[in-house]
Amino acid sequence: MSHFLEFEKPLAELAGKVEELRRTTDAGGIDVAEEVGRLQDKAQKLLAATYAKLTPWQKAQVARHPERPKALDYVAHLIQGFTPLAGDRAFADDAAVIGGIGRFRGRAVAVLGTEKGHDTETRVKHNFGMAKPEGYRKARRIMELAGRFGLPILSFVDTSGAFPGIEAEARGQAEAIARSIEAGLEAPVPFVATIIGEGGSGGAIALAAADRVLMLEHAIYSVISPEGCASILWRDAAQASTAAEALRLTADDLKKLNLVDTVVPEPMGGAHRAREAAMDAVGNAVAAALEPLLALDGASLRIRRREKFLDMGRTATL
């Protein structure tokens, strides 16, 4: 790992000591294997202890980790023969929303995702995962395409929210998000959504109005970011940690509230520490969620999906 979070400073110090010992071995031929092993064992125990008691704000930081697998990583790892589809057939192509068709474990599927990017170049290209109206219209187009051809829909959500710029509002941001949600609710095919990092506001639910909503253990899902909430309620973004507690945005909280269906465990220390293992776990969870849905017809899926989201308002309590 090249990036440690603020609360991981003790882990970073241990990693630095291990690396220093290894350089000593390389330079002088001194056998320090025993000491390296001792430090690595200490680091693993510290890692387990640290991640066993993460606060909601710390989970938000893990969900945003720059080395965490992104939507395109999941597509590359889980979807065979992926063919991207571009454009909303009205204005432009929005790189913040990726979509296309491919095969998931031998079955033809439609795939959607919000892509943040890995480095400066790709983050700018994908607008940091913040979609504009044309992105949500592209998502709607692909969902409707999936319905026509009987393709199950898989989505991978990782966004801080929809793009808040004036031009997005001028082009009908709210309407585009609402229509994307509508398309998800009305899709006559199985729909499985996975929150892989951040699930921010309407920009997330636009791609997650699904039959089954999965959420990674250290992902977050909320109506607003902790910083945005703090700025509104306390007029101070520094209160983000307090806001994170109040928002109940962790996977465990949302599972208790019946707002997500399944929490997918992550490797020790987060998905960024064992990327392939994390993506395999998501693939297994998606397959398990998809299988029973395949036996249902379109009318049954729509009725069940409608009731699922109506029940959230009827039964969820804080």
Side-chain angles (χ1 to χ4, degrees):
M1 274 183 55
S2 60
H3 181 92
F4 286 88
L5 300 169
E6 180 68 24
F7 67 87
E8 294 179 320
K9 278 186 177 179
L11 291 165
E13 291 172 5
L14 282 173
K17 290 177 181 177
V18 169
E19 184 59 33
E20 186 178 342
L21 282 172
R22 283 177 172 158
R23 283 199 299 269
T24 300
T25 302
D26 293 340
I30 304 170
D31 185 7
V32 292
E34 185 177 341
E35 180 63 12
V36 167
R38 187 185 68 80
L39 286 175
Q40 287 179 325
D41 183 58
K42 183 178 179 181
Q44 280 299 110
K45 290 178 179 177
L46 181 58
L47 180 67
T50 300
Y51 273 76
K53 52 179 176 36
L54 292 182
T55 66
W57 176 236
Q58 288 170 338
K59 281 186 177 278
Q61 294 173 63
V62 177
R64 297 168 174 173
H65 197 288
E67 295 171 17
R68 193 175 178 86
K70 305 296 190 293
L72 283 173
D73 297 319
Y74 282 93
V75 170
H77 191 76
L78 298 175
I79 308 300
Q80 296 77 47
F82 178 69
T83 301
L85 299 175
D88 65 344
R89 301 296 186 266
F91 183 79
D93 183 46
D94 186 349
V97 173
I98 57 101
I101 54 176
R103 290 190 174 274
F104 172 68
R105 300 190 175 182
R107 180 177 297 276
V109 294
V111 183
L112 290 166
T114 37
E115 173 63 28
K116 283 186 173 181
H118 283 287
D119 52 28
T120 301
E121 182 181 354
T122 55
R123 285 172 191 147
V124 170
K125 174 184 175 182
H126 296 287
N127 200 33
F128 300 86
M130 295 185 294
K132 299 175 183 177
E134 49 270 25
Y136 298 114
R137 291 180 178 130
K138 174 167 70 173
R140 177 188 175 191
R141 180 172 75 84
I142 292 173
M143 286 187 235
E144 291 174 348
L145 180 75
R148 285 197 296 275
F149 289 96
L151 303 176
I153 303 167
L154 307 182
S155 72
F156 302 94
V157 178
D158 187 15
T159 179
S160 58
F163 182 66
I166 293 174
E167 67 269 32
E169 296 298 336
R171 292 201 295 273
Q173 184 78 290
E175 182 269 348
I177 291 172
R179 292 292 187 183
S180 183
I181 295 171
E182 180 185 47
L185 293 173
E186 290 297 316
V189 292
F191 185 179
V192 178
T194 307
I195 313 300
I196 58 173
E198 280 190 276
S201 192
I205 199 171
L207 272 68
D211 297 292
R212 303 290 290 176
V213 180
L214 317 182
M215 186 172 176
L216 280 171
E217 179 184 1
H218 300 309
I220 59 172
Y221 196 17
S222 64
V223 70
I224 191 172
S225 70
E227 295 91 336
C229 178
S231 296
I232 292 170
L233 295 184
W234 295 284
R235 300 188 184 280
D236 181 6
Q239 295 288 335
S241 60
T242 304
E245 293 274 356
L247 283 167
R248 306 287 292 275
L249 45 62
T250 68
D252 287 342
D253 281 334
L254 293 164
K255 182 67 173 68
K256 289 174 186 174
L257 292 168
N258 292 320
L259 299 179
V260 299
D261 300 295
T262 302
V263 177
V264 182
E266 296 188 29
M268 179 58 65
H272 53 284
R273 282 187 162 84
R275 293 162 57 89
E276 288 202 3
M279 291 187 285
D280 285 338
V282 167
N284 292 337
V286 168
L290 182 60
E291 189 61 33
L293 299 174
L294 295 170
L296 301 175
D297 60 34
S300 298
L301 287 166
R302 283 194 293 263
I303 292 169
R304 285 163 55 101
R305 205 178 296 137
R306 170 186 169 84
E307 288 303 311
K308 168 191 173 67
F309 282 90
L310 287 174
D311 279 345
M312 291 180 185
R314 296 181 186 127
T315 62
T317 55
L318 294 178

